[in-house]
Amino acid sequence: ERAIMLPRLEHPTYPIKTPVGGIEFRIRPYTNREEKVLLLLKESTTEGGIVDAMCQIVESCSFDLPVRAWNLPLADLIWTFIKIRSYSVGEVSELNYRCIKTVGDETVDPGQKCNTPIHYELNLNDIEIRNNDVLQDIDLGSGVKMRLRHYTGNDIIRDPEDQNTDAQTLYEMVVCIYTDVESNDKADIPFEEFEDWYNDIPLNKKVEIERFLAQMPSLYKEITLKCPKCGNESKLVLETVADFFQ
């Protein structure tokens, strides 16, 4: 029998540049190929499961991506997924909450809540990136500097049972250690040597390192919810993957 050659379906592609790493590549909207992974994303109950599904979708819907999606800075990964989602099904994410205002006499029934459903339409283009100006190079004194990387999807997916020491955690984040005359890439530094070197870091510099690790670039949006029944207004900060989609 003669093989049937169905016409190839062409998909639009869109050039993007990520806000944290400045990585330039192209993306396309979802197709049926991503349907199963999208279902996994929706049904995942752990942050690692959500991020892994997101990585799979970004990997599948990207062209000319110079690194694997799992190795993108986490904020860039989520931002890229949001862009793909916007081109696929629209720029608005439908979010639903319930009013938490206490009603009635609190001395009689302190647990009674208004509980009225509140619908909110989030424009995904309004999501902001915060802490994008945090320097990745830590000056350790004596002319020695250390460059650190941002958290990636792989860091979130890693088994939560893995308990690293402070030295191991920092070792995972190091890009290189350098002076004005030489540079040592992390790949060339054995952990045992790094661990011994780590113990000589001044305590005030350790505080700077911890501040960097705690202030990674992240997505952020503050919204105001107004109850249609009692009129109560409350502010809500969206900052995790699950916050932006329901």
Side-chain angles (χ1 to χ4, degrees):
E1 295 183 6
R2 183 175 66 87
I4 298 176
M5 298 296 292
L6 295 176
R8 181 180 177 84
L9 296 175
E10 299 293 338
H11 306 290
T13 63
Y14 305 91
I16 63 170
K17 181 177 181 180
T18 62
V20 176
I23 303 170
E24 298 184 44
F25 55 103
R26 294 176 297 128
I27 58 175
R28 64 161 174 81
Y30 306 145
T31 68
N32 281 333
R33 294 180 185 276
E34 286 74 51
E35 184 177 22
K36 184 180 292 186
V37 183
L38 285 167
L39 185 60
L40 288 175
L41 176 62
K42 187 174 182 179
E43 294 181 346
S44 292
T45 57
T46 65
E47 186 178 19
I50 292 172
V51 169
D52 188 45
M54 195 173 295
C55 287
Q56 293 181 56
I57 291 170
V58 169
E59 186 88 0
S60 178
C61 296
S62 298
F63 302 88
D64 309 319
L65 183 60
V67 298
R68 299 296 303 277
W70 289 264
N71 294 324
L72 284 170
L74 187 60
D76 279 349
L77 170 70
I78 300 172
W79 181 86
T80 301
F81 174 80
I82 288 173
K83 284 296 182 185
I84 294 171
R85 195 266 188 196
S86 295
Y87 286 126
S88 302
V89 296
E91 300 171 347
V92 174
S93 180
E94 307 283 344
L95 305 177
N96 293 286
Y97 305 94
R98 287 189 175 274
C99 181
I100 59 172
K101 179 178 174 60
T102 301
V103 295
D105 187 346
E106 294 188 34
T107 61
V108 176
D109 186 2
Q112 185 180 359
K113 304 292 182 184
C114 174
N115 209 35
T116 300
I118 303 175
H119 178 72
Y120 188 89
E121 294 186 352
L122 173 68
N123 188 322
L124 297 175
N125 291 323
D126 292 339
I127 297 174
E128 306 166 27
I129 300 283
R130 63 178 176 182
N131 296 330
N132 199 17
D133 57 349
V134 177
L135 297 178
Q136 292 179 251
D137 291 52
I138 308 294
D139 188 342
L140 299 173
S142 304
V144 179
K145 295 183 179 180
M146 176 170 57
R147 179 166 299 159
L148 302 177
R149 64 173 177 81
H150 296 298
Y151 285 122
T152 67
N154 271 332
D155 295 313
I156 305 301
I157 296 167
R158 183 179 293 120
D159 189 343
E161 297 297 323
D162 293 344
Q163 298 294 324
N164 287 343
T165 64
D166 289 348
Q168 288 171 324
T169 298
L170 183 59
Y171 181 69
E172 291 293 326
M173 304 301 293
V174 169
V175 176
C176 64
I177 298 169
Y178 65 97
T179 66
D180 290 339
V181 296
E182 65 175 341
S183 178
N184 297 284
D185 290 338
K186 184 269 188 73
D188 300 325
I189 307 172
F191 173 70
E192 293 75 14
E193 183 176 335
F194 175 84
E195 187 175 33
D196 186 62
W197 176 86
Y198 168 84
N199 290 326
D200 288 330
I201 294 178
L203 287 180
N204 64 326
K205 298 300 180 180
K206 184 181 178 184
V207 171
E208 286 187 36
I209 293 169
E210 291 172 346
R211 185 182 302 121
F212 171 83
L213 296 177
Q215 295 180 344
M216 291 283 183
S218 61
L219 277 70
Y220 167 90
K221 180 61 181 175
E222 182 178 285
I223 64 175
T224 299
L225 302 175
K226 183 174 182 178
C227 177
K229 182 178 179 180
C230 70
N232 178 63
E233 291 190 3
S234 58
K235 294 188 181 298
L236 182 66
V237 173
L238 310 179
E239 53 189 349
T240 69
V241 177
D243 288 340
F244 298 114
F245 306 101
Q246 292 181 356

